[in-house]
Amino acid sequence: ARSPCGDPRALHAGSGVSDGIGSLDSAMVAARQAVDVDDQYQPAWESLADYAAQSGAEADALRYSRRAYDLDSTSTSTTLKRARLENRVGSAELAVTLLTSIRKDEPWNYSIIFELGRSFQQLNDGARSAQLFQEADRVRILMQPVELLERAVDGTPDDFVQRIKLADAYRQQGRLREALPHYQAAIRLRPDNLDLRSNVATVYLQLGNRDEALARYRSVLDMDPVHVATLLNLAVYFLEEGDPTRATRFLRRANQLEPDHPGIDRIRSALSN
């Protein structure tokens, strides 16, 4: 229940400031005040778990982490933090359940795989644990180029080429929601790049936001009515919509402009089927 004695967001922000200057006790006090004001304010519970873990009070950290998870279990970070504490001072069986629930959604996240290995280590399943540790190391090595791109973008956020490389890398891994903001940042850097704008519309389509995708395709054609890639993308869009008449219209326009485009025969074949 909410108490009238303060704003939990402001108190929580103050706890972050205290933590940032190394005053862990003050950070803990402010975070406690935030949950006293509103015990449904999940970010403060998560911070309490972090501060308690830093101070060595892992049993308290687990209690706070469980509360944070109960309030919002959608975050991979929240789930992983709780699983780590479950492995150390709670239930390894619960950790396995938690980690298994998020592993399928983030197969590239080697931290999840490694922690799952720790869970089975706690459960005295040495063979399964060793297998997971090996898998975590393999995925970590595969992820190193992406992590290098992440650091490059952090260091030079206005580097268009690095932005595109990182977005493309995320997209190739199926991490479309992570790719999208980098594509959008690249558009801000190169607003006249219509190929990029059309690709971003396709990402929205892949995410299931068909209305946004269609609006963005049309926006590209407003800027350039003869943009062949977008005409073909719209042909595919309407083919998926079950509207072969409109799909054919966009395909014909693309064919008139660039008859040798490699995508034309593929879309024509799909239309004939």
Side-chain angles (χ1 to χ4, degrees):
R2 183 178 292 278
S3 160
C5 59
D7 182 345
R9 292 169 298 182
L11 291 164
H12 182 239
S15 76
V17 172
S18 295
D19 182 46
I21 62 175
S23 181
L24 187 58
D25 289 343
S26 296
M28 182 73 79
V29 168
R32 285 185 185 278
Q33 289 174 337
V35 298
D36 286 343
V37 169
D38 185 355
D39 66 1
Q40 302 293 309
Y41 189 59
Q42 191 269 357
W45 286 108
E46 188 148 3
S47 291
L48 274 173
D50 290 341
Y51 302 149
Q54 289 176 47
S55 68
E58 291 194 324
D60 287 340
L62 176 57
R63 180 162 52 88
Y64 300 143
S65 184
R66 285 174 174 174
R67 176 62 173 156
Y69 179 86
D70 288 344
L71 289 169
D72 183 4
S73 61
T74 62
S75 165
T76 295
S77 174
T78 299
T79 305
L80 183 55
K81 286 178 182 179
R82 178 183 168 186
R84 284 173 174 153
L85 288 163
E86 294 286 359
N87 274 337
R88 290 202 288 268
V89 293
S91 165
E93 289 91 346
L94 274 178
V96 169
T97 300
L98 292 165
L99 293 164
T100 302
S101 72
I102 57 174
R103 183 186 176 193
K104 62 181 181 297
D105 295 324
E106 297 191 10
W108 60 85
N109 191 330
Y110 53 85
S111 295
I112 294 173
I113 304 169
F114 182 81
E115 198 61 38
L116 193 54
R118 281 183 168 171
S119 299
F120 283 103
Q121 191 175 55
Q122 291 290 99
L123 295 170
N124 296 314
D125 188 340
R128 182 70 174 129
S129 176
Q131 178 188 8
L132 287 161
F133 287 148
Q134 289 175 0
E135 183 179 350
D137 195 49
R138 178 182 61 79
V139 174
R140 179 186 60 80
I141 292 169
L142 289 174
M143 286 301 301
Q144 283 177 347
V146 178
E147 292 174 349
L148 287 172
L149 286 169
E150 289 170 340
R151 288 195 288 272
V153 168
D154 286 342
T156 55
D158 291 337
D159 188 323
F160 176 83
V161 172
Q162 295 297 333
R163 282 277 186 188
I164 292 297
K165 285 182 178 179
L166 179 57
D168 286 347
Y170 282 148
R171 190 176 180 183
Q172 288 166 8
Q173 294 175 345
R175 301 163 66 177
L176 298 177
R177 294 191 186 281
E178 291 172 85
L180 189 56
H182 292 289
Y183 281 129
Q184 291 169 329
I187 287 176
R188 289 192 291 272
L189 293 169
R190 302 275 180 88
D192 296 330
N193 189 321
L194 299 187
D195 288 341
L196 176 57
R197 286 182 176 272
S198 194
N199 282 338
V200 169
T202 300
V203 173
Y204 275 105
L205 188 61
Q206 291 172 321
L207 285 168
N209 192 339
R210 300 186 69 82
D211 290 343
E212 182 68 22
L214 181 58
R216 286 174 177 267
Y217 286 140
R218 285 176 168 164
S219 175
V220 173
L221 290 185
D222 286 343
M223 291 182 273
D224 181 4
V226 295
H227 191 257
V228 172
T230 301
L231 292 170
L232 291 173
N233 284 335
L234 280 165
V236 172
Y237 177 93
F238 286 110
L239 179 61
E240 292 176 349
E241 288 283 293
D243 190 342
T245 300
R246 292 167 84 178
T248 299
R249 186 165 70 244
F250 284 107
L251 180 63
R252 284 175 177 167
R253 286 171 60 186
N255 186 60
Q256 290 168 357
L257 294 163
E258 195 175 330
D260 294 329
H261 192 287
I264 289 175
D265 286 342
R266 176 177 54 82
I267 298 171
R268 184 181 289 121
S269 175
L271 276 166
S272 67
N273 293 329

